Amino acid sequence: MASSVISDFSSSATARLLPFRCTVPIGAFQFQPSVSIPLTPLHLNASRSTLSRCCSSSAVTAVATNTDTLAKVIDGKLVSKQIKDEVAGEVAGMKEAIGVVPGLAVILVGSRKDSQTYVRNKKKACEAVGIKSYEVNLPEDSTDQEVIKHILEFNNDPSVHGILVQLPLPRHMNEENILNAVNIEKDVDGFHPLNIGRLAMQGRDPLFVPCTPKGCMELLYRHGVEIKGKRAVVIGRSNIVGMPAALLLQKANATVSIVHSHTKIPEEVTRQADIVISAAGVANLVRGGWIKPGAVVIDVGINPVDDAESPRGYRLVGDVCYEEACTVASAITPVPGGVGPMTIAMLLSNTLESAKRIHNFK
């Protein structure tokens, strides 16, 4: 899978952990390989080895040692730890006050190694903050009805406050029907169409926002980035990341454009942005020349590229050519260690908020 999904903080950051602001790690937008986009000099059909030469990992060291000229790093690991500590404190307080422990149920279908890793990480994260976790593992050849049966059981279980169906599902399954079976009040992934619909409407707030876009916004808020009145570009329009990220930026009163596989001269559109959120799933797609000087860059992409010096034979890079962007942007998220840790942190936050709402606990 090309993309999964996916600092400085203000003193009022804790108060922002509201249900409106929201691994699965998330599967990001994929550019269609049959579509030609005018990129110079990078081409979307470039090989992994070619892409790996666009940027080097030395940028990480450079940022740490030359902060006068290079972008400030927005540290997702540090932010996610702060959020987890805040969630743990509230979970303990809720348990002491009313005897309720938030519960998160995860349903995994099949034996994909990456999905198993994601579920395992979520379980560990739940344990670390005091949230009770429930897990159902079903074989690859399970039917839609078998998955929905477990969803309905969790819908009716008062000890479960959040339900997550690990994506992607096997190809023979109807993802829409399965996700729609999740009770909207327990849809902590924020994928229910009513939640997305409320996000899109003026004057309406969703019960939950998809975790990766919520994590992107939280990074901006905690880094003190001004959004109101600014130009923002979201690269990618997936239901999981790109579209809800654009809607969140719009609700925060940014002027928003979306770059996608049919956008002509995408670098020109992106170069106008004060804020860039890239969720394309294409390694090193966004070059330094795409970035407006002083822009803030949030890189959702997690893409493997060949690296003979790595013991694994590859390394992970984002959608943004980090080394080039660091010389232009004012702040940027690294990959890994940027948006990725925020996704699980937002999932924990959503689960806590669900439990508080269900039990009317302030």
Side-chain angles (χ1 to χ4, degrees):
M1 176 192 244
S3 176
S4 311
V5 200
I6 152 166
S7 229
D8 296 338
F9 322 111
S10 65
S11 58
S12 60
T14 302
R16 290 202 179 93
L17 281 177
L18 301 174
F20 168 66
R21 304 232 298 277
C22 199
T23 143
V24 212
I26 305 295
F29 170 87
Q30 300 291 321
F31 279 92
Q32 300 175 16
S34 60
V35 176
S36 175
I37 297 181
L39 304 176
T40 306
L42 178 64
H43 298 282
L44 293 183
N45 62 353
S47 68
R48 282 177 56 179
S49 59
T50 300
L51 292 171
S52 70
R53 292 196 295 269
C54 294
C55 304
S56 73
S57 57
S58 63
V60 178
T61 305
V63 169
T65 58
N66 192 9
T67 55
D68 290 339
T69 59
L70 298 182
K72 193 165 194 173
V73 176
I74 301 177
D75 190 342
K77 289 183 178 179
L78 183 57
V79 182
S80 67
K81 183 181 184 305
Q82 284 195 342
I83 292 171
K84 289 175 183 178
D85 289 344
E86 294 159 8
V87 169
E90 290 200 52
V91 168
M94 188 175 185
K95 180 179 180 181
E96 183 177 352
I98 61 174
V100 172
V101 176
L104 174 65
V106 179
I107 298 174
L108 173 64
V109 184
S111 56
R112 283 178 58 117
K113 297 299 183 183
D114 55 348
S115 292
Q116 291 174 335
T117 299
Y118 299 151
V119 169
R120 187 163 56 248
N121 290 341
K122 288 167 189 170
K123 186 174 182 179
K124 290 179 181 178
C126 284
E127 293 173 353
V129 301
I131 291 176
K132 186 171 178 58
S133 63
Y134 304 84
E135 184 179 340
V136 170
N137 292 282
L138 298 174
E140 180 85 16
D141 59 356
S142 296
T143 65
D144 290 14
Q145 290 70 29
E146 288 172 317
V147 178
I148 291 173
K149 172 179 174 289
H150 287 284
I151 291 174
L152 296 179
E153 289 175 355
F154 286 133
N155 282 345
N156 296 321
D157 187 341
S159 65
V160 173
H161 305 96
I163 301 171
L164 183 152
V165 179
Q166 181 67 41
L167 302 179
L169 290 167
R171 291 187 178 183
H172 69 276
M173 291 189 160
N174 188 318
E175 180 180 297
E176 181 179 357
N177 288 345
I178 289 172
L179 294 181
N180 287 352
V182 176
N183 185 332
I184 189 173
E185 294 187 352
K186 298 185 178 184
D187 173 39
V188 290
D189 246 351
F191 294 155
H192 195 287
L194 288 179
N195 273 322
I196 296 296
R198 288 176 177 176
L199 180 62
M201 295 178 70
Q202 294 289 339
R204 304 283 182 89
D205 287 340
L207 296 180
F208 305 100
V209 173
C211 298
T212 298
K214 182 178 179 181
C216 293
M217 296 300 291
E218 199 66 34
L219 288 173
L220 294 173
Y221 287 128
R222 292 190 178 226
H223 195 65
V225 176
E226 184 179 358
I227 301 175
K228 183 178 180 180
K230 299 297 184 179
R231 285 184 172 271
V233 166
V234 177
I235 304 175
R237 54 179 172 178
S238 71
N239 292 332
I240 294 172
V241 183
M243 191 58 67
L247 293 171
L248 285 170
L249 287 165
Q250 182 174 277
K251 276 189 176 288
N253 296 311
T255 300
V256 183
S257 299
I258 298 177
V259 168
H260 51 76
S261 57
H262 294 279
T263 300
K264 295 182 179 179
I265 318 180
E267 60 269 37
E268 288 190 6
V269 179
T270 306
R271 201 177 296 124
Q272 300 175 27
D274 303 299
I275 299 167
V276 176
I277 296 180
S278 184
V282 179
N284 299 318
L285 170 70
V286 180
R287 308 301 299 270
W290 290 40
I291 306 298
K292 177 182 178 180
V296 175
V297 179
I298 305 295
D299 191 351
V300 181
I302 302 180
N303 311 289
V305 296
D306 293 333
D307 186 350
E309 297 180 2
S310 170
R312 298 177 294 182
Y314 70 93
R315 58 187 171 87
L316 297 177
V317 301
D319 294 346
V320 179
C321 186
Y322 188 82
E323 187 173 31
E324 293 181 4
C326 280
T327 66
V328 185
S330 63
I332 188 171
T333 56
V335 177
V339 175
M342 294 296 295
T343 298
I344 290 182
M346 293 297 97
L347 175 64
L348 301 175
S349 172
N350 279 358
T351 303
L352 170 63
E353 293 299 337
S354 177
K356 290 167 66 176
R357 180 166 44 238
I358 290 172
H359 295 280
N360 196 29
F361 180 74
K362 305 298 183 182

